[in-house]
Amino acid sequence: MNDRFEPMSAVVDDQSVPAVATKPLHSIGGIVLATFFGGPFGGSVAMALNYSRLKSPAAARLSWITGLVASTAYFFAITTIPDKILDSLPNLIFIIPQLIAVYLAANHFQSAQIVEHERAGGAMASGWRSCGVGVLSLPVSLAVFFGVVFLAFPAPGTLFQSGNDELFYTGDATVDDAKRL
């Protein structure tokens, strides 16, 4: 019998990859924490880091892309809710679903690899690192949000300013028409 310990391999994207990564992996809770601070994109970045550390670059790329698409869809959905409804909803109603969705995705796609990594003696990233991933991904999440707002709500027309007053005019209206108002 061979006494030398050799970690088992985990299967990710039909590729055999080592169960122990050379760098710490983010736990499922850490991925959810990154989501809390960085939105769906933050969670996908933590998952992408795990895939990269498990030597699965295709899955890492897919995680990045999925995070961008999910963030875009999430922000588009939020910006299309009428203000009357939006004002009556508690803020947690926007946070909890994304945390649950990322938890379910991370649990489904990475829990086996994370458990095997821990079982084989692999290091886990601290909650602070996961938090940092979320915070560092926040600028991208904000850029996606403002991109969605910019594309979903174009300027209402041409702006005319007179003193402290602003007026937007469109169609066949002219600056002279705006000045007469």
Side-chain angles (χ1 to χ4, degrees), residues 67-117:
L68 287 173
V69 170
S71 293
T72 302
Y74 173 73
F75 292 137
F76 185 76
I78 287 175
T79 57
T80 57
I81 297 173
D83 287 341
K84 186 176 181 180
I85 295 171
L86 198 60
D87 292 339
S88 67
L89 298 173
N91 291 336
L92 281 177
I93 202 143
F94 302 109
I95 297 169
I96 292 173
Q98 65 181 327
L99 296 177
I100 291 171
V102 170
Y103 169 80
L104 292 173
N107 197 42
H108 178 76
F109 291 110
Q110 291 192 344
S111 66
Q113 290 82 20
I114 292 169
V115 167
E116 191 61 38
H117 174 78

Side-chain angles (χ1 to χ4, degrees), residues 157-170 174-181:
T158 305
L159 174 65
F160 170 73
Q161 290 182 312
S162 176
N164 291 333
D165 298 323
E166 293 181 345
L167 176 71
F168 287 95
Y169 60 95
T170 60
T174 64
V175 172
D176 293 331
D177 294 334
K179 284 180 183 177
R180 278 183 269 179
L181 292 175

Side-chain angles (χ1 to χ4, degrees), residues 7-33:
M8 297 173 50
S9 292
V11 176
V12 180
D13 289 328
D14 299 326
Q15 299 174 13
S16 181
V17 295
V20 178
T22 57
K23 292 185 177 180
L25 295 183
H26 294 275
S27 66
I28 301 297
I31 293 168
V32 173
L33 186 62

